[in-house]
Amino acid sequence: MYAPNILLKKLFLFFLIWFGFFQPTTAQKVSTELVRADSAFDAGAYQLAYRYYRGLIRQEDVASPRVLLRMAYVQEGLGHYPAALYYLNMALARQPRLATWRKMADLARTQRLTGYPETWQQDLQLTFRRYYYLGLQALLIGAVVGGTLLIIRRQHITRGWWVTYSVYLLLTGVYLNLLGTERAALVMQPRAALMAGPSAGAAWLTTTTAGDRLVVLGQQDTWYQVQWQGQEAYIRTQDLLLVE
């Protein structure tokens, strides 16, 4: 067996190597690349900045809302509206903001795209999504604290408190499973068909445009089940790009 002091030295050396060498080096590399991309963007070299930002996302998986919004700005300037909307959707998924949604809706309106409603219901839903994880965190903390107190004082707790706690857990589960964020996707192929069923022989509903936004409900083989005008529809997976 190792002596205590030798074991401590080995553990210290391990953490020193892991946290002191690998992580700071990676962080320093990402920081350097990000500074280079920001410098190019501020200098007006938007296409060069876009290549830097895209390389960061691919290599280091750095996709902050700020970077995504800048990439969307570059793509909009180049006239690549589906790509601009895709990056805007990614930024919205990471940081729900009304300003980002309204920018998306404005861009979609000029391009006559669907799936970007400008209603008070949409604004309310977006506001809820912004604070969804904060509310979930508070509910889970309350569940842990409440459960701990009930266990500690179980001899003095009446049945009514257990029933109340069970209802609280049920409501937390409802909040978690039924009120989660939606799974959005963008049509990336021009004139992609929406069908009434997951088959080429199903009834044709409409033809979509590249940049149209759909909410994905599920997947069946090579078809995505989506929501379209309040009803279920199907589109081929190759025609749709999920927002991640």
Side-chain angles (χ1 to χ4, degrees):
M1 295 181 62
Y2 288 111
N5 58 338
I6 297 178
L7 181 59
L8 288 175
K9 288 181 180 180
K10 288 184 176 292
L11 288 174
F12 177 76
L13 181 61
F14 171 78
F15 285 110
L16 182 64
I17 293 175
W18 181 255
F19 291 101
F21 180 73
F22 292 105
Q23 290 190 1
T25 300
T26 302
Q28 184 179 5
K29 178 181 177 183
V30 171
S31 178
T32 302
E33 294 294 329
L34 189 58
V35 169
R36 182 183 301 175
D38 288 342
S39 299
F41 186 91
D42 295 336
Y46 299 125
Q47 295 190 45
L48 179 61
Y50 175 79
R51 288 199 296 269
Y52 287 147
Y53 287 134
R54 190 175 182 181
L56 277 172
I57 292 177
R58 286 183 173 181
Q59 297 176 14
E60 306 294 344
D61 197 23
V62 178
S64 67
R66 175 175 169 274
V67 169
L68 293 169
L69 289 173
R70 289 196 166 195
M71 295 176 73
Y73 177 86
V74 174
Q75 291 300 306
E76 181 185 3
L78 296 174
H80 302 160
Y81 301 110
L85 286 167
Y86 177 69
Y87 290 124
L88 286 170
N89 272 277
M90 289 181 66
L92 187 74
R94 285 158 175 77
Q95 187 181 63
R97 295 178 57 190
L98 287 173
T100 305
W101 177 262
R102 286 167 182 164
K103 173 60 180 178
M104 292 164 52
D106 180 67
L107 188 59
R109 192 187 324 110
T110 60
Q111 300 301 313
R112 298 182 180 180
L113 302 175
T114 61
Y116 303 86
E118 298 179 83
T119 62
W120 67 268
Q121 294 94 335
Q122 177 64 31
D123 290 348
L124 182 63
Q125 181 185 12
L126 187 60
T127 302
F128 169 79
R129 286 175 54 194
R130 182 175 183 178
Y131 299 103
Y132 170 77
Y133 290 107
L134 183 62
L136 180 61
Q137 183 180 17
L139 288 173
L140 292 177
I141 292 175
V144 172
V145 173
T148 302
L149 291 176
L150 288 175
I151 293 175
I152 293 175
R153 301 181 58 83
R154 59 182 179 274
Q155 295 181 353
H156 306 284
I157 297 297
T158 62
R159 184 178 180 181
W161 283 104
W162 288 105
V163 173
T164 301
Y165 183 69
S166 299
V167 173
Y168 179 87
L169 291 180
L170 179 62
L171 293 177
T172 301
V174 171
Y175 183 92
L176 174 64
N177 294 300
L178 298 183
L179 301 179
T181 56
E182 64 184 14
R183 189 184 185 194
L186 266 65
V187 178
M188 299 306 293
Q189 299 293 337
R191 302 189 61 81
L194 274 182
M195 312 298 290
S199 170
W204 174 85
L205 296 177
T206 188
T207 299
T208 59
T209 303
D212 284 345
R213 186 176 185 270
L214 299 169
V215 176
V216 178
L217 304 176
Q219 183 176 356
Q220 295 187 23
D221 296 327
T222 60
W223 296 82
Y224 279 127
Q225 181 185 13
V226 299
Q227 187 176 19
W228 175 73
Q229 294 186 354
Q231 62 177 317
E232 294 181 0
Y234 292 85
I235 186 172
R236 292 187 182 276
T237 55
Q238 64 188 22
D239 297 330
L240 210 60
L241 183 61
L242 295 177
V243 176
E244 300 176 345

